[in-house]
Amino acid sequence: MQSRRKFLKKSAIASLALAASPLDVLAKDLPENNSTVINRPIVLSTWNFGLKANEEAWTVLGKGGRALDAVEKGVRLVENDPNERSVGYGGRPDRDGRVTLDACIMDENYNIGSVACLEHIKNPISVARAIMEKTPHVMLVGDGALQFAVSQGFKKENILTPESESEWKEWLKDSKYQPIVNIENHDTIGMIALDANGNLSGACTTSGMAFKMHGRVGDSPIIGAGLFVDNEVGAATATGHGEEVIRTVGTHLVVELMRQGRSPQQACKEAVERIVQITKRRNKNLKDIQVGFIALNKKGEYGSFCIQDGFNFAVYDQKGNRLEKPDFALK
Ligand code: ASP
C-alpha cells in the first residue's frame, strides 16, 4: 500500500502539473528524493551565433514543439546566413577553393543522419535529416550525398560567396594551414535541446576548418564525436579541433559520464581533461588546441567546459536567452 507521504507528494505534483505552462513543466514521475521543477524546454548552442539560432529554435520549443524540429530550424538560420563564415552558405572553402560541408542530427529514438564533404547545398543539416528519415543508411559523403540531396529536391547552387573566395585567394599567397584558436576560421554550430515533452535532440553543422585538405572531415558529422544524444540520459555537442574530438569520441564520452552520474558540467570537464592528458601523452602543444563541449541532461541541467579561454555558448530557457562563458583547463 502506498504511504500517505507518497500519496501527498503524488497529488501535489499532479496539481502543479495541471497548472504548469509549457515553459514550466513538471516531471510526471519524479523520484522520491527529487521534488525540483524540470527546466524545460531548454536549448543550448555554441558560440555567439548560438543566440540567434536559439531564438529560432524557441519558435518551435516555446509552442511545445519537438526538439528535433527546433534544432534543425535553429541551425538552418546560421547555415543560411552568408555572413557566418564557418557554417553553410558562405562558409570558408578548403585549400582548393571548394566549400565542403559536414553535418549530423540525432533524435530522441537513436535515429541518426549525417552528411560529410557535401558541396553546393546550403543546408547540410536538412540533408542529414533526410538521410535519417528516408534512407536505410546513416551517413552519405561527397558526390553520393550531393546526388541524394538533389534527388530530394535540394537546390544545387554555388555556396562560395565573393568574400570567402577573396579570403581564399589571399590565403593562397602563403598557403599555410593554421587553424587559429577561437578565431572564426572554423567554429561549428552545435545545438542540443530538451522539449516540453521531455525529449532530447541535437544538430551539428559546419564548413569545418578553413583551407583544410580537400576531403578532410572533422568531428561535426560524426555521431559520438561532434554530437551524441541519449534520451534516457542527456545530450552533448562539440566545437573546436575536430581531430581531437574524434580521437576521444568526445560527446559520447560526455554522455556516458552523465550516465554514470556526473552533472553536465562535471562530464564536460572530465572529457576536456581526457583530451588534455592525451595531448600531453602525444607531446603536442595544448596551446594550439581548442575544444569546447556543451551538455544537457534530462532535467534540463546544463554545463560546459573547454580547453582554453575564449569559447562561449548560448542558453535559452525560462530565464531568457543569454551567452555564457565556461570555465577552462589551461590557466
Ligand atoms: N569542429 C569543427 C571541425 O573540426 C570546427 C570547429 O568547430 O571549430 O571541423
Side-chain angles (χ1 to χ4, degrees), residues 46-47 49 71-72 74-80 86-89 101-105 115 121-126 128 186-191 202-208 219-221 226-227 237-239:
T46 53
W47 302 108
F49 46 40
V71 295
E72 182 192 12
V75 303
R76 271 178 71 104
L77 185 88
V78 182
E79 289 182 338
N80 285 333
S86 55
V87 178
Y89 175 52
L101 304 177
D102 295 340
C104 72
I105 193 158
V115 73
I121 304 286
K122 271 185 182 169
N123 295 118
I125 199 64
S126 298
H186 45 97
D187 290 0
T188 298
I189 179 141
M191 177 180 272
C204 188
T205 176
T206 190
S207 51
D219 60 316
S220 308
L227 175 73
T237 188
T239 182

Side-chain angles (χ1 to χ4, degrees), residues 248-268:
T248 49
V249 201
T251 55
H252 183 260
L253 177 58
V254 173
V255 172
E256 290 309 301
L257 287 166
M258 289 195 284
R259 192 193 306 279
Q260 290 166 27
R262 307 309 195 280
S263 67
Q265 178 62 30
Q266 185 62 21
C268 290

Side-chain angles (χ1 to χ4, degrees), residues 94-145:
D94 63 19
R95 60 186 55 183
D96 299 339
R98 297 161 74 163
V99 183
T100 65
L101 304 177
D102 295 340
C104 72
I105 193 158
M106 186 161 188
D107 76 4
E108 71 276 17
N109 293 316
Y110 265 82
N111 292 311
I112 54 177
S114 158
V115 73
C117 207
L118 175 68
E119 294 183 74
H120 308 301
I121 304 286
K122 271 185 182 169
N123 295 118
I125 199 64
S126 298
V127 180
R129 183 165 178 176
I131 291 167
M132 173 171 93
E133 291 177 341
K134 297 182 182 167
T135 80
H137 307 304
V138 298
M139 186 172 202
L140 293 177
V141 305
D143 283 347

Side-chain angles (χ1 to χ4, degrees), residues 22-27 36-44 58 193-196 198 200 296-302 315-320 322:
L23 303 190
D24 191 20
V25 179
L26 286 154
T36 54
V37 174
I38 304 282
N39 184 25
R40 69 190 199 218
I42 175 170
V43 58
L44 256 69
W58 201 260
L194 175 68
D195 64 30
L200 290 157
L296 180 61
N297 68 14
K298 280 292 273 187
K299 293 188 210 162
E301 295 165 335
Y302 64 91
V315 192
Y316 199 160
D317 60 10
Q318 291 96 323
K319 293 187 198 138
R322 60 207 180 262

